[in-house]
mmCIF file of all heavy atoms in Angstrom:
data_model
loop_
_atom_site.group_PDB
_atom_site.id
_atom_site.type_symbol
_atom_site.label_atom_id
_atom_site.label_comp_id
_atom_site.label_asym_id
_atom_site.label_seq_id
_atom_site.Cartn_x
_atom_site.Cartn_y
_atom_site.Cartn_z
ATOM 1 N N THR A 1 0.815 -1.188 0.008
ATOM 2 C CA THR A 1 -0.002 -0.009 0.005
ATOM 3 C C THR A 1 0.857 1.253 0.009
ATOM 4 O O THR A 1 0.652 2.169 -0.804
ATOM 5 C CB THR A 1 -0.924 -0.025 1.222
ATOM 6 O OG1 THR A 1 -1.768 -1.156 1.209
ATOM 7 C CG2 THR A 1 -1.803 1.249 1.248
ATOM 8 N N PHE A 2 1.846 1.311 0.923
ATOM 9 C CA PHE A 2 2.729 2.451 0.934
ATOM 10 C C PHE A 2 3.590 2.565 -0.305
ATOM 11 O O PHE A 2 3.962 3.669 -0.714
ATOM 12 C CB PHE A 2 3.519 2.442 2.261
ATOM 13 C CG PHE A 2 2.793 2.802 3.471
ATOM 14 C CD1 PHE A 2 2.303 1.786 4.335
ATOM 15 C CD2 PHE A 2 2.479 4.086 3.781
ATOM 16 C CE1 PHE A 2 1.565 2.093 5.429
ATOM 17 C CE2 PHE A 2 1.712 4.409 4.947
ATOM 18 C CZ PHE A 2 1.278 3.421 5.750
ATOM 19 N N ALA A 3 4.037 1.386 -0.786
ATOM 20 C CA ALA A 3 4.826 1.388 -2.040
ATOM 21 C C ALA A 3 4.069 1.983 -3.209
ATOM 22 O O ALA A 3 4.591 2.701 -4.076
ATOM 23 C CB ALA A 3 5.303 -0.034 -2.356
ATOM 24 N N THR A 4 2.722 1.716 -3.280
ATOM 25 C CA THR A 4 1.907 2.266 -4.290
ATOM 26 C C THR A 4 1.847 3.780 -4.212
ATOM 27 O O THR A 4 1.892 4.516 -5.182
ATOM 28 C CB THR A 4 0.461 1.725 -4.191
ATOM 29 O OG1 THR A 4 0.527 0.301 -4.322
ATOM 30 C CG2 THR A 4 -0.437 2.297 -5.334
ATOM 31 N N ILE A 5 1.724 4.270 -2.990
ATOM 32 C CA ILE A 5 1.674 5.741 -2.786
ATOM 33 C C ILE A 5 2.999 6.411 -3.166
ATOM 34 O O ILE A 5 3.004 7.423 -3.829
ATOM 35 C CB ILE A 5 1.321 6.058 -1.286
ATOM 36 C CG1 ILE A 5 -0.036 5.517 -0.921
ATOM 37 C CG2 ILE A 5 1.412 7.549 -1.010
ATOM 38 C CD1 ILE A 5 -0.358 5.636 0.527
ATOM 39 N N ARG A 6 4.101 5.752 -2.849
ATOM 40 C CA ARG A 6 5.434 6.344 -3.153
ATOM 41 C C ARG A 6 5.670 6.274 -4.676
ATOM 42 O O ARG A 6 6.198 7.218 -5.243
ATOM 43 C CB ARG A 6 6.506 5.555 -2.474
ATOM 44 C CG ARG A 6 6.623 5.706 -0.976
ATOM 45 C CD ARG A 6 7.925 5.212 -0.397
ATOM 46 N NE ARG A 6 8.112 3.785 -0.746
ATOM 47 C CZ ARG A 6 7.747 2.774 0.038
ATOM 48 N NH1 ARG A 6 7.149 3.033 1.176
ATOM 49 N NH2 ARG A 6 8.002 1.519 -0.350
ATOM 50 N N ALA A 7 5.202 5.199 -5.317
ATOM 51 C CA ALA A 7 5.426 5.087 -6.764
ATOM 52 C C ALA A 7 4.479 5.951 -7.627
ATOM 53 O O ALA A 7 4.848 6.284 -8.770
ATOM 54 C CB ALA A 7 5.394 3.639 -7.203
ATOM 55 N N ASN A 8 3.305 6.209 -7.098
ATOM 56 C CA ASN A 8 2.302 6.959 -7.813
ATOM 57 C C ASN A 8 1.764 8.145 -7.000
ATOM 58 O O ASN A 8 0.566 8.169 -6.696
ATOM 59 C CB ASN A 8 1.147 6.043 -8.261
ATOM 60 C CG ASN A 8 1.617 4.904 -9.092
ATOM 61 O OD1 ASN A 8 1.656 4.924 -10.303
ATOM 62 N ND2 ASN A 8 1.944 3.789 -8.428
ATOM 63 N N PRO A 9 2.554 9.113 -6.592
ATOM 64 C CA PRO A 9 2.126 10.169 -5.757
ATOM 65 C C PRO A 9 1.028 11.007 -6.390
ATOM 66 O O PRO A 9 0.116 11.478 -5.755
ATOM 67 C CB PRO A 9 3.373 11.004 -5.449
ATOM 68 C CG PRO A 9 4.329 10.646 -6.596
ATOM 69 C CD PRO A 9 4.023 9.223 -6.979
ATOM 70 N N GLY A 10 1.118 11.196 -7.719
ATOM 71 C CA GLY A 10 0.145 12.052 -8.389
ATOM 72 C C GLY A 10 -1.219 11.351 -8.414
ATOM 73 O O GLY A 10 -2.277 12.030 -8.190
ATOM 74 N N ALA A 11 -1.263 10.082 -8.682
ATOM 75 C CA ALA A 11 -2.558 9.339 -8.863
ATOM 76 C C ALA A 11 -3.071 8.944 -7.476
ATOM 77 O O ALA A 11 -4.271 8.475 -7.448
ATOM 78 C CB ALA A 11 -2.401 8.119 -9.738
ATOM 79 N N THR A 12 -2.343 9.065 -6.415
ATOM 80 C CA THR A 12 -2.830 8.754 -5.060
ATOM 81 C C THR A 12 -3.019 9.984 -4.249
ATOM 82 O O THR A 12 -4.146 10.438 -4.031
ATOM 83 C CB THR A 12 -1.881 7.726 -4.356
ATOM 84 O OG1 THR A 12 -0.531 8.247 -4.345
ATOM 85 C CG2 THR A 12 -1.864 6.367 -5.070
ATOM 86 N N ILE A 13 -1.885 10.563 -3.816
ATOM 87 C CA ILE A 13 -1.952 11.809 -2.951
ATOM 88 C C ILE A 13 -2.577 12.926 -3.766
ATOM 89 O O ILE A 13 -3.367 13.686 -3.300
ATOM 90 C CB ILE A 13 -0.596 12.115 -2.444
ATOM 91 C CG1 ILE A 13 -0.043 10.986 -1.520
ATOM 92 C CG2 ILE A 13 -0.655 13.413 -1.656
ATOM 93 C CD1 ILE A 13 -0.865 10.762 -0.293
ATOM 94 N N GLY A 14 -2.123 13.073 -5.039
ATOM 95 C CA GLY A 14 -2.552 14.200 -5.860
ATOM 96 C C GLY A 14 -3.984 14.194 -6.094
ATOM 97 O O GLY A 14 -4.696 15.202 -5.869
ATOM 98 N N VAL A 15 -4.575 13.034 -6.549
ATOM 99 C CA VAL A 15 -6.034 12.976 -6.837
ATOM 100 C C VAL A 15 -6.799 13.089 -5.545
ATOM 101 O O VAL A 15 -7.844 13.807 -5.487
ATOM 102 C CB VAL A 15 -6.335 11.618 -7.523
ATOM 103 C CG1 VAL A 15 -7.844 11.426 -7.640
ATOM 104 C CG2 VAL A 15 -5.682 11.557 -8.903
ATOM 105 N N THR A 16 -6.294 12.508 -4.467
ATOM 106 C CA THR A 16 -7.034 12.606 -3.180
ATOM 107 C C THR A 16 -7.070 14.027 -2.671
ATOM 108 O O THR A 16 -8.103 14.556 -2.230
ATOM 109 C CB THR A 16 -6.365 11.724 -2.134
ATOM 110 O OG1 THR A 16 -6.350 10.378 -2.607
ATOM 111 C CG2 THR A 16 -7.142 11.754 -0.833
ATOM 112 N N LEU A 17 -5.905 14.705 -2.772
ATOM 113 C CA LEU A 17 -5.861 16.116 -2.289
ATOM 114 C C LEU A 17 -6.725 17.007 -3.150
ATOM 115 O O LEU A 17 -7.505 17.838 -2.616
ATOM 116 C CB LEU A 17 -4.375 16.597 -2.414
ATOM 117 C CG LEU A 17 -4.104 18.025 -2.005
ATOM 118 C CD1 LEU A 17 -4.469 18.252 -0.530
ATOM 119 C CD2 LEU A 17 -2.631 18.397 -2.210
ATOM 120 N N ALA A 18 -6.717 16.865 -4.465
ATOM 121 C CA ALA A 18 -7.501 17.717 -5.310
ATOM 122 C C ALA A 18 -9.002 17.521 -5.091
ATOM 123 O O ALA A 18 -9.760 18.496 -4.952
ATOM 124 C CB ALA A 18 -7.182 17.440 -6.773
ATOM 125 N N SER A 19 -9.398 16.284 -5.053
ATOM 126 C CA SER A 19 -10.859 15.986 -4.893
ATOM 127 C C SER A 19 -11.366 16.348 -3.434
ATOM 128 O O SER A 19 -12.445 16.894 -3.321
ATOM 129 C CB SER A 19 -11.161 14.545 -5.224
ATOM 130 O OG SER A 19 -10.354 13.669 -4.483
ATOM 131 N N ALA A 20 -10.507 16.008 -2.499
ATOM 132 C CA ALA A 20 -10.871 16.362 -1.103
ATOM 133 C C ALA A 20 -10.909 17.824 -0.899
ATOM 134 O O ALA A 20 -11.704 18.322 -0.052
ATOM 135 C CB ALA A 20 -9.916 15.650 -0.141
ATOM 136 N N ALA A 21 -10.053 18.595 -1.593
ATOM 137 C CA ALA A 21 -10.063 20.054 -1.469
ATOM 138 C C ALA A 21 -11.395 20.624 -1.909
ATOM 139 O O ALA A 21 -11.936 21.568 -1.244
ATOM 140 C CB ALA A 21 -8.912 20.637 -2.274
ATOM 141 N N VAL A 22 -11.936 20.052 -3.007
ATOM 142 C CA VAL A 22 -13.271 20.546 -3.458
ATOM 143 C C VAL A 22 -14.319 20.278 -2.423
ATOM 144 O O VAL A 22 -15.172 21.094 -2.118
ATOM 145 C CB VAL A 22 -13.591 19.871 -4.821
ATOM 146 C CG1 VAL A 22 -15.014 20.250 -5.307
ATOM 147 C CG2 VAL A 22 -12.576 20.266 -5.859
ATOM 148 N N VAL A 23 -14.325 19.049 -1.923
ATOM 149 C CA VAL A 23 -15.338 18.626 -0.937
ATOM 150 C C VAL A 23 -15.220 19.456 0.360
ATOM 151 O O VAL A 23 -16.222 19.982 0.868
ATOM 152 C CB VAL A 23 -15.172 17.159 -0.600
ATOM 153 C CG1 VAL A 23 -16.095 16.748 0.589
ATOM 154 C CG2 VAL A 23 -15.532 16.296 -1.835
ATOM 155 N N GLU A 24 -13.961 19.683 0.865
ATOM 156 C CA GLU A 24 -13.841 20.432 2.066
ATOM 157 C C GLU A 24 -14.193 21.901 1.886
ATOM 158 O O GLU A 24 -14.728 22.578 2.794
ATOM 159 C CB GLU A 24 -12.377 20.310 2.568
ATOM 160 C CG GLU A 24 -12.101 18.949 3.160
ATOM 161 C CD GLU A 24 -12.966 18.631 4.378
ATOM 162 O OE1 GLU A 24 -13.401 19.530 5.083
ATOM 163 O OE2 GLU A 24 -13.165 17.395 4.598
ATOM 164 N N THR A 25 -13.904 22.409 0.693
ATOM 165 C CA THR A 25 -14.303 23.816 0.424
ATOM 166 C C THR A 25 -15.772 24.009 0.447
ATOM 167 O O THR A 25 -16.340 24.911 1.144
ATOM 168 C CB THR A 25 -13.773 24.241 -0.930
ATOM 169 O OG1 THR A 25 -12.326 24.174 -0.938
ATOM 170 C CG2 THR A 25 -14.181 25.682 -1.294
ATOM 171 N N ILE A 26 -16.529 23.067 -0.172
ATOM 172 C CA ILE A 26 -17.981 23.172 -0.159
ATOM 173 C C ILE A 26 -18.500 22.955 1.222
ATOM 174 O O ILE A 26 -19.393 23.683 1.725
ATOM 175 C CB ILE A 26 -18.591 22.115 -1.122
ATOM 176 C CG1 ILE A 26 -18.132 22.389 -2.567
ATOM 177 C CG2 ILE A 26 -20.078 22.059 -1.004
ATOM 178 C CD1 ILE A 26 -18.618 21.319 -3.524
ATOM 179 N N SER A 27 -17.936 21.976 1.963
ATOM 180 C CA SER A 27 -18.417 21.728 3.328
ATOM 181 C C SER A 27 -18.185 22.906 4.265
ATOM 182 O O SER A 27 -19.001 23.250 5.099
ATOM 183 C CB SER A 27 -17.665 20.493 3.901
ATOM 184 O OG SER A 27 -17.970 19.328 3.147
ATOM 185 N N THR A 28 -17.033 23.577 4.079
ATOM 186 C CA THR A 28 -16.662 24.752 4.903
ATOM 187 C C THR A 28 -17.649 25.909 4.601
ATOM 188 O O THR A 28 -18.120 26.598 5.533
ATOM 189 C CB THR A 28 -15.250 25.141 4.648
ATOM 190 O OG1 THR A 28 -14.337 24.085 5.002
ATOM 191 C CG2 THR A 28 -14.874 26.421 5.511
ATOM 192 N N VAL A 29 -17.926 26.121 3.357
ATOM 193 C CA VAL A 29 -18.830 27.195 2.947
ATOM 194 C C VAL A 29 -20.244 26.895 3.533
ATOM 195 O O VAL A 29 -20.892 27.837 4.066
ATOM 196 C CB VAL A 29 -18.886 27.332 1.411
ATOM 197 C CG1 VAL A 29 -20.021 28.284 1.040
ATOM 198 C CG2 VAL A 29 -17.587 27.859 0.843
ATOM 199 N N VAL A 30 -20.689 25.688 3.468
ATOM 200 C CA VAL A 30 -22.003 25.260 4.006
ATOM 201 C C VAL A 30 -21.989 25.506 5.534
ATOM 202 O O VAL A 30 -22.967 26.075 6.081
ATOM 203 C CB VAL A 30 -22.330 23.847 3.698
ATOM 204 C CG1 VAL A 30 -23.547 23.346 4.447
ATOM 205 C CG2 VAL A 30 -22.537 23.654 2.174
ATOM 206 N N ALA A 31 -20.967 25.129 6.218
ATOM 207 C CA ALA A 31 -20.893 25.286 7.667
ATOM 208 C C ALA A 31 -20.888 26.754 8.084
ATOM 209 O O ALA A 31 -21.573 27.136 9.026
ATOM 210 C CB ALA A 31 -19.583 24.613 8.218
ATOM 211 N N ILE A 32 -20.211 27.580 7.319
ATOM 212 C CA ILE A 32 -20.173 29.042 7.626
ATOM 213 C C ILE A 32 -21.556 29.614 7.377
ATOM 214 O O ILE A 32 -22.064 30.433 8.147
ATOM 215 C CB ILE A 32 -19.122 29.753 6.773
ATOM 216 C CG1 ILE A 32 -17.689 29.235 7.211
ATOM 217 C CG2 ILE A 32 -19.195 31.249 6.909
ATOM 218 C CD1 ILE A 32 -16.606 29.762 6.354
ATOM 219 N N SER A 33 -22.175 29.290 6.228
ATOM 220 C CA SER A 33 -23.422 29.885 5.867
ATOM 221 C C SER A 33 -24.589 29.446 6.768
ATOM 222 O O SER A 33 -25.630 30.154 6.853
ATOM 223 C CB SER A 33 -23.784 29.611 4.415
ATOM 224 O OG SER A 33 -23.873 28.165 4.197
ATOM 225 N N THR A 34 -24.526 28.338 7.400
ATOM 226 C CA THR A 34 -25.595 27.818 8.265
ATOM 227 C C THR A 34 -25.330 27.995 9.735
ATOM 228 O O THR A 34 -25.991 27.437 10.599
ATOM 229 C CB THR A 34 -25.843 26.334 7.985
ATOM 230 O OG1 THR A 34 -24.677 25.551 8.221
ATOM 231 C CG2 THR A 34 -26.285 26.089 6.564
ATOM 232 N N GLU A 35 -24.238 28.745 10.063
ATOM 233 C CA GLU A 35 -23.794 28.949 11.475
ATOM 234 C C GLU A 35 -24.916 29.497 12.325
ATOM 235 O O GLU A 35 -25.199 29.072 13.430
ATOM 236 C CB GLU A 35 -22.608 29.834 11.511
ATOM 237 C CG GLU A 35 -22.057 30.093 12.923
ATOM 238 C CD GLU A 35 -21.381 28.846 13.475
ATOM 239 O OE1 GLU A 35 -20.864 27.985 12.628
ATOM 240 O OE2 GLU A 35 -21.330 28.660 14.689
ATOM 241 N N ASN A 36 -25.645 30.492 11.802
ATOM 242 C CA ASN A 36 -26.711 31.151 12.571
ATOM 243 C C ASN A 36 -28.087 30.877 11.999
ATOM 244 O O ASN A 36 -29.034 31.658 12.266
ATOM 245 C CB ASN A 36 -26.451 32.661 12.636
ATOM 246 C CG ASN A 36 -25.134 33.001 13.283
ATOM 247 O OD1 ASN A 36 -24.780 32.436 14.333
ATOM 248 N ND2 ASN A 36 -24.415 33.971 12.663
ATOM 249 N N ALA A 37 -28.234 29.826 11.221
ATOM 250 C CA ALA A 37 -29.571 29.525 10.644
ATOM 251 C C ALA A 37 -30.435 28.720 11.601
ATOM 252 O O ALA A 37 -30.022 28.479 12.731
ATOM 253 C CB ALA A 37 -29.315 28.666 9.328
ATOM 254 N N SER A 38 -31.618 28.442 11.126
ATOM 255 C CA SER A 38 -32.547 27.645 11.968
ATOM 256 C C SER A 38 -32.054 26.232 12.199
ATOM 257 O O SER A 38 -31.157 25.750 11.500
ATOM 258 C CB SER A 38 -33.912 27.675 11.298
ATOM 259 O OG SER A 38 -33.866 26.990 10.059
ATOM 260 N N THR A 39 -32.706 25.561 13.129
ATOM 261 C CA THR A 39 -32.309 24.161 13.400
ATOM 262 C C THR A 39 -32.449 23.213 12.166
ATOM 263 O O THR A 39 -31.536 22.386 11.932
ATOM 264 C CB THR A 39 -33.153 23.581 14.559
ATOM 265 O OG1 THR A 39 -33.013 24.454 15.674
ATOM 266 C CG2 THR A 39 -32.653 22.190 14.948
ATOM 267 N N GLY A 40 -33.482 23.381 11.439
ATOM 268 C CA GLY A 40 -33.723 22.553 10.223
ATOM 269 C C GLY A 40 -32.657 22.791 9.208
ATOM 270 O O GLY A 40 -32.134 21.800 8.583
ATOM 271 N N VAL A 41 -32.353 24.069 9.004
ATOM 272 C CA VAL A 41 -31.301 24.395 7.989
ATOM 273 C C VAL A 41 -29.963 23.845 8.410
ATOM 274 O O VAL A 41 -29.149 23.297 7.613
ATOM 275 C CB VAL A 41 -31.258 25.899 7.730
ATOM 276 C CG1 VAL A 41 -30.114 26.230 6.775
ATOM 277 C CG2 VAL A 41 -32.559 26.337 7.125
ATOM 278 N N ARG A 42 -29.654 23.963 9.676
ATOM 279 C CA ARG A 42 -28.367 23.463 10.192
ATOM 280 C C ARG A 42 -28.259 21.939 10.077
ATOM 281 O O ARG A 42 -27.238 21.437 9.805
ATOM 282 C CB ARG A 42 -28.177 23.904 11.631
ATOM 283 C CG ARG A 42 -28.040 25.372 11.832
ATOM 284 C CD ARG A 42 -27.761 25.771 13.257
ATOM 285 N NE ARG A 42 -26.491 25.285 13.725
ATOM 286 C CZ ARG A 42 -26.032 25.478 14.962
ATOM 287 N NH1 ARG A 42 -26.731 26.190 15.827
ATOM 288 N NH2 ARG A 42 -24.856 25.042 15.326
ATOM 289 N N ALA A 43 -29.404 21.303 10.321
ATOM 290 C CA ALA A 43 -29.414 19.840 10.165
ATOM 291 C C ALA A 43 -29.172 19.440 8.706
ATOM 292 O O ALA A 43 -28.449 18.495 8.386
ATOM 293 C CB ALA A 43 -30.770 19.219 10.668
ATOM 294 N N LEU A 44 -29.827 20.231 7.781
ATOM 295 C CA LEU A 44 -29.561 19.947 6.365
ATOM 296 C C LEU A 44 -28.118 20.242 5.996
ATOM 297 O O LEU A 44 -27.505 19.483 5.219
ATOM 298 C CB LEU A 44 -30.510 20.844 5.500
ATOM 299 C CG LEU A 44 -30.408 20.641 3.997
ATOM 300 C CD1 LEU A 44 -30.725 19.246 3.591
ATOM 301 C CD2 LEU A 44 -31.294 21.663 3.332
ATOM 302 N N GLY A 45 -27.586 21.307 6.607
ATOM 303 C CA GLY A 45 -26.193 21.616 6.346
ATOM 304 C C GLY A 45 -25.213 20.544 6.858
ATOM 305 O O GLY A 45 -24.089 20.353 6.361
ATOM 306 N N THR A 46 -25.662 19.787 7.885
ATOM 307 C CA THR A 46 -24.833 18.665 8.403
ATOM 308 C C THR A 46 -24.878 17.449 7.440
ATOM 309 O O THR A 46 -23.884 16.743 7.330
ATOM 310 C CB THR A 46 -25.365 18.199 9.748
ATOM 311 O OG1 THR A 46 -25.350 19.326 10.657
ATOM 312 C CG2 THR A 46 -24.525 17.096 10.335
ATOM 313 N N LEU A 47 -26.003 17.274 6.791
ATOM 314 C CA LEU A 47 -26.141 16.147 5.854
ATOM 315 C C LEU A 47 -25.278 16.338 4.544
ATOM 316 O O LEU A 47 -24.856 15.368 4.013
ATOM 317 C CB LEU A 47 -27.614 15.930 5.478
ATOM 318 C CG LEU A 47 -28.532 15.446 6.600
ATOM 319 C CD1 LEU A 47 -29.970 15.330 6.109
ATOM 320 C CD2 LEU A 47 -28.077 14.101 7.135
#
């Protein structure tokens, strides 16, 4: 497993970092925008 990561950093770490960055950016924006929202909206923001 670790040998695969070392031999293919772009296709393992690179792809993971790029795709996770998109997901975390959207999740962070949702968390910020629902910080002071109603309970229902905050629950939706958690999903």
